[in-house]
Amino acid sequence: STERESPAVPRSSTFLKREAGLMWSKTVAQLAVPAVDACAVVRESQLFKTWYPCCVESERLAEVGRAEGLFRVEQRYEFPLVPVALREDIVLHGFLVDVSEEHGGLLVCGRSPKQSEWADVRFPPKPPGRYSWRTDVTALQFFVEPCGGAGCKMTLQLGVDDPGDACPNWLVDALMKRVIARLFSALGDKAAAVASSPATSPHAACMAANPQIYNEWLPTKIAACEA
């Protein structure tokens, strides 16, 4: 599917493949916003509920350092003529890999961890109810490629367990269009607001509160990608 919803994201395309018990998606988008602002929207996971499509809850469970963290998001899906809402949550561990020299970009890798791997952090229970579930992300790769000037290219690849017949292709396509295909449009809008509306942007406030990360560390990483 292809979305063209935001001036900050002229075009994004999403591809889906189901094989060997897994569902794989890949989304590529060109963003007309500074890479540092786009990265801030991705890094501030506690603010996902302010922009991530269908997200109703988001929280940072642990911050290991500038480039590693654990977070949870909960999403709610509603469809016309369907009398029930679907609820999904995801617990994700993500960390940054510096591939600026090799590939001219920054790579965020992640997956859903087990509770036993985080003994000091208590994972929230999954949403209750018959139409609720927790999705385990097998693999996540989020690649950010600064393009100079005010733009950057982002690629998201995601692998999750395939529920099989319980999730037919029409439902997968509907969820993809509601979430992943719209994700970069929403991300672009929030990143653009950092510069256009700094007084009301929650991401601009986070960036101002963490100058060492957003004025020094991250711009240095981005500059290395463009060198």
Side-chain angles (χ1 to χ4, degrees):
S1 59
T2 300
E3 296 290 322
R4 299 177 183 176
E5 298 180 0
S6 167
V9 187
R11 184 183 181 91
S12 68
S13 298
T14 300
F15 310 92
L16 175 69
K17 180 171 65 175
R18 305 177 79 166
E19 66 175 13
L22 292 173
M23 290 195 301
W24 293 95
S25 68
K26 179 179 180 179
T27 303
V28 181
Q30 188 75 35
L31 278 69
V33 294
V36 66
D37 295 345
C39 287
V41 175
V42 174
R43 184 182 182 278
E44 299 298 332
S45 56
Q46 78 282 4
L47 295 177
F48 279 11
K49 59 180 173 286
T50 68
W51 66 272
Y52 194 99
C54 303
C55 183
V56 294
E57 280 295 333
S58 58
E59 56 184 320
R60 181 179 289 168
L61 302 177
E63 185 171 3
V64 180
R66 295 175 299 188
E68 184 176 2
L70 179 73
F71 65 92
R72 171 187 174 269
V73 296
E74 180 180 331
Q75 297 163 120
R76 180 184 175 95
Y77 309 111
E78 297 179 346
F79 301 95
L81 305 179
V82 178
V84 297
L86 308 179
R87 295 172 65 191
E88 170 196 31
D89 86 334
I90 301 171
V91 176
L92 195 67
H93 169 218
F95 56 92
L96 180 70
V97 180
D98 187 348
V99 291
S100 55
E101 293 187 6
E102 297 87 347
H103 302 290
L106 302 175
L107 177 66
V108 176
C109 296
R111 67 175 180 87
S112 292
K114 295 180 173 60
Q115 173 67 79
S116 60
E117 298 170 349
W118 292 79
D120 297 333
V121 180
R122 184 177 180 181
F123 289 12
K126 75 170 188 176
R130 179 179 178 183
Y131 301 101
S132 302
W133 70 92
R134 171 163 289 168
T135 294
D136 286 329
V137 176
T138 302
L140 176 145
Q141 291 187 339
F142 203 112
F143 184 63
V144 183
E145 181 182 0
C147 299
C152 62
K153 180 179 179 181
M154 287 187 160
T155 303
L156 171 64
Q157 297 189 79
L158 188 67
V160 301
D161 290 338
D162 191 336
D165 294 339
C167 195
N169 286 333
W170 70 264
L171 180 57
V172 172
D173 187 60
L175 293 178
M176 291 285 289
K177 288 180 178 179
R178 277 178 169 263
V179 182
I180 298 181
R182 290 167 48 201
L183 182 152
F184 285 100
S185 292
L187 191 160
D189 287 342
K190 283 297 182 181
V194 170
S196 65
S197 306
T200 57
S201 166
H203 297 92
C206 286
M207 295 172 73
N210 294 279
Q212 199 282 326
I213 292 176
Y214 293 112
N215 293 344
E216 301 175 22
W217 176 74
L218 189 53
T220 299
K221 293 288 186 184
I222 292 172
C225 297
E226 299 175 322

